[in-house]
Amino acid sequence: MFGKLMQIVSLGCVLLVTLSPVMGHSRGNRSRRNHQQHPHNNMNMIVPVSSSSSTVVASPPGVAVAATEESSGGSNGVSQMVGYVKDSIVRSIDGCKTMWSNHGQCNAIRSKQKLYKQSLKDQWLEEGALSGKQINQLLKTESGGISFEEYQFLQQGKVDRSKVTQLMFMSWGAPRFLPYYIMFFPDMLPSPFLPAPKVGAETKWSELSRSRSHAVVKTLLDLERDARQVPALAKLNFFGRKAQQQSMERTHQIGLSTYQLLMSPPTAVITKKIVVKNPKKGAEEKMEEIQTPHGPTTILRTIDNLIYGSSSVDSSSTTTSNKKEGGAFSAQETNLSLLPKSIIKGMGSLIDGGKSNPTDAILPTYFGRRKVLAHLQKVKECDDFLVKEKVDIASLGTKQLRDVCSDRLYDCMGRTDEEMKSMLREWLDLVVTQPQSKVAAGGVSFNDNLARTALMCYYSLESAQDARAASYLPG
């Protein structure tokens, strides 16, 4: 009985929140009608204006539009509510039809991929250079046979299916909170069910630019706090003070590097260690300052020793996870476990479009790290497709470029197609082409997760400083 009562109360609250602007609009209409029918009741509010005055005060655009809409309104709350329900039902039916159509199109694209893989398999079997097991392993990494537009469509289909799964889980596990969750987080709906943007409203890219700029500032504040203050729960752990101190020191170093990046001029000075041959003393190390253009190449050059490592494994000093990977990087390094929590949390917020999720505050950092790693894997697969299939970057359209650049946390607000193409070419060269050539030469392994994370952080800072960003924050 109590559960039924709570469901009725919840439904009533949703209807009240939904109808509140409508009812307010109808009350405004009634007050205007009363004022028109009884103008003498408001004579004390009339302010005389001199006819000789030539001063005209222009009202803000938003106010003018609102006044026009108010003056043209005459419908009551019931009719508006009926229209709202009708639009919702129509959008739901159209969304289901679109989802079913997209599912069929995804199946057709996957069939093309399957035929392409089968042709590769037959070709490799005829050559006889590879075993059946090796062929199956190689086929798992193949995603060709389709265009880049079809590849992006498949990726969007995966996102929509995951959102449908989340909605089904929410409707089963927490049906009472589902209406509120959809109300406050409409992005959880699959793309066919999203409402159409209103006329005159903020564009998607403008909102994304503004929200991500705010997320960058919040991440910097959290980074400084974590480097200066010991968490309350960490004070209770008497045996982990040394580890906590080391973590705060790492966070402080990252904060200093970020400050230097923010304050650096267009050309940066990089201190690099070189080996100088001395005829008398032999080889000795020397620090040399190199003047280099400020940009993504400089960022990766400063952390060259962190993203590249020797691929030889020392059995006396490596862990079991190292031996499984067969590389120089441990599982903590490749899984970004050594990065500060504020960086992981900020990356998760930027990936979500700068919007904070209330569950992020109570969930452990592990879940936020898994979200970041999943996004990095998605970007890696897209990078491999672009390079392996030799996609012509110059042929990509504006929408495709914006989607690709946005996934790499590069602000598209005010950017031209040529700027985004240049950024994408540089990205692919830094994280795919150059590392592949170095790894193929032998003796080197590449930490692609850390490299992509560093570049995404750089692009986020650079975009927040750009004067074309949609935020009021100064560049």
Side-chain angles (χ1 to χ4, degrees):
M1 183 65 184
F2 180 74
K4 294 287 187 182
L5 181 61
M6 288 301 297
Q7 289 183 358
I8 295 175
V9 172
S10 301
L11 181 60
C13 292
V14 173
L15 290 176
L16 180 62
V17 173
T18 307
L19 286 173
S20 56
V22 178
M23 299 306 294
H25 183 73
S26 62
R27 285 196 299 269
N29 291 336
R30 286 198 301 269
S31 63
R32 284 192 301 274
R33 286 196 296 269
N34 292 335
H35 173 70
Q36 294 171 359
Q37 294 174 1
H38 306 284
H40 59 275
N41 293 337
N42 297 281
M43 290 298 294
N44 56 342
M45 298 181 62
I46 299 178
V47 180
V49 180
S50 174
S51 59
S52 61
S53 176
S54 60
T55 304
V56 179
V57 180
S59 59
V63 176
V65 172
T68 304
E69 293 177 352
E70 289 290 337
S71 60
S72 61
S75 58
N76 54 20
V78 176
S79 61
Q80 292 191 11
M81 184 60 187
V82 172
Y84 172 77
V85 173
K86 179 184 177 182
D87 293 342
S88 300
I89 294 175
V90 171
R91 190 168 69 243
S92 300
I93 296 175
D94 293 343
C96 292
K97 292 180 179 179
T98 306
M99 282 286 292
W100 182 255
S101 176
N102 292 347
H103 175 67
Q105 191 171 349
C106 287
N107 287 338
I109 297 174
R110 281 190 286 267
S111 298
K112 294 173 63 176
Q113 284 185 318
K114 188 176 180 180
L115 292 175
Y116 175 76
K117 291 182 178 181
Q118 185 62 39
S119 63
L120 285 179
K121 185 176 181 180
D122 295 339
Q123 178 183 351
W124 291 338
L125 287 175
E126 289 179 2
E127 294 175 354
L130 300 173
S131 63
K133 185 176 181 181
Q134 291 175 333
I135 291 176
N136 291 333
Q137 291 294 331
L138 289 176
L139 289 177
K140 291 180 180 179
T141 61
E142 287 290 339
S143 57
I146 58 176
S147 64
F148 183 63
E149 184 178 1
E150 292 174 328
Y151 176 84
Q152 285 187 310
F153 191 86
L154 278 181
Q155 300 305 312
Q156 183 61 44
K158 290 181 181 179
V159 175
D160 289 339
R161 286 195 300 273
S162 65
K163 290 183 177 181
V164 170
T165 305
Q166 294 176 3
L167 286 174
M168 293 176 62
F169 179 78
M170 284 283 295
S171 61
W172 171 77
R176 301 174 187 173
F177 297 98
L178 183 59
Y180 305 102
Y181 207 70
I182 295 177
M183 181 186 300
F184 294 107
F185 302 99
D187 291 338
M188 71 174 294
L189 293 173
S191 56
F193 294 92
L194 293 177
K198 298 180 180 179
V199 178
E202 187 178 22
T203 63
K204 168 188 173 182
W205 303 111
S206 175
E207 181 182 4
L208 193 64
S209 173
R210 176 176 53 82
S211 301
R212 282 181 170 173
S213 298
H214 297 174
V216 167
V217 175
K218 186 177 185 306
T219 302
L220 293 177
L221 296 176
D222 293 342
L223 187 68
E224 182 177 351
R225 180 201 60 202
D226 293 345
R228 307 284 183 173
Q229 298 179 2
V230 180
L233 295 178
K235 296 179 181 178
L236 303 177
N237 186 8
F238 300 100
F239 303 99
R241 291 182 176 178
K242 185 177 180 180
Q244 178 64 32
Q245 189 66 28
Q246 293 176 350
S247 176
M248 293 178 65
E249 181 62 27
R250 287 196 303 269
T251 305
H252 178 62
Q253 294 298 327
I254 293 177
L256 289 179
S257 301
T258 305
Y259 170 77
Q260 294 175 359
L261 175 62
L262 291 172
M263 302 302 294
S264 61
T267 56
V269 177
I270 302 300
T271 303
K272 190 175 181 179
K273 184 186 294 184
I274 61 175
V275 178
V276 180
K277 293 183 179 180
N278 193 324
K280 298 181 179 180
K281 301 181 181 179
E284 61 179 1
E285 294 181 350
K286 181 182 178 181
M287 306 303 292
E288 182 182 15
E289 291 185 350
I290 303 174
Q291 193 85 4
T292 180
H294 176 62
T297 305
T298 305
I299 299 301
L300 293 190
R301 188 176 297 178
T302 56
I303 60 172
D304 186 86
N305 60 328
L306 298 178
I307 61 177
Y308 288 104
S310 174
S311 60
S312 59
V313 182
D314 185 4
S315 59
S316 61
S317 60
T318 54
T319 59
T320 305
S321 59
N322 259 341
K323 296 177 182 178
K324 287 181 179 179
E325 294 179 6
F329 298 105
S330 64
Q332 286 185 329
E333 292 171 328
T334 55
N335 293 338
L336 309 179
S337 299
L338 299 179
L339 287 182
K341 296 180 180 179
S342 52
I343 296 292
I344 297 298
K345 184 179 178 181
M347 283 282 293
S349 177
L350 290 168
I351 291 170
D352 290 338
K355 300 177 182 178
S356 60
N357 195 320
T359 58
D360 294 340
I362 58 177
L363 290 177
T365 312
Y366 169 82
F367 294 96
R369 187 179 297 110
R370 299 311 301 177
K371 179 200 297 183
V372 173
L373 291 174
H375 183 76
L376 292 174
Q377 180 63 28
K378 171 188 172 183
V379 173
K380 180 181 183 301
E381 293 175 356
C382 181
D383 293 342
D384 293 339
F385 183 90
L386 289 170
V387 174
K388 197 169 185 178
E389 301 302 320
K390 299 179 181 180
V391 177
D392 185 13
I393 305 299
S395 65
L396 298 181
T398 302
K399 183 181 183 304
Q400 291 177 318
L401 288 170
R402 285 181 172 179
D403 291 337
V404 171
C405 293
S406 179
D407 287 341
R408 288 147 186 80
L409 305 186
Y410 183 77
D411 191 6
C412 305
M413 189 67 183
R415 313 278 180 164
T416 62
D417 289 359
E418 294 303 322
E419 287 181 285
M420 292 186 285
K421 290 175 184 178
S422 176
M423 170 267 168
L424 184 56
R425 291 190 186 98
E426 185 178 27
W427 170 282
L428 295 176
D429 182 63
L430 291 175
V431 300
V432 181
T433 307
Q434 293 184 16
Q436 283 181 353
S437 60
K438 292 183 179 181
V439 172
V444 175
S445 58
F446 180 61
N447 190 347
D448 57 335
N449 283 340
L450 183 59
R452 286 185 171 86
T453 300
L455 287 181
M456 287 182 182
C457 291
Y458 166 77
Y459 285 129
S460 300
L461 287 171
E462 191 265 343
S463 299
Q465 285 184 289
D466 196 287
R468 292 169 291 184
S471 175
Y472 293 153
L473 300 175

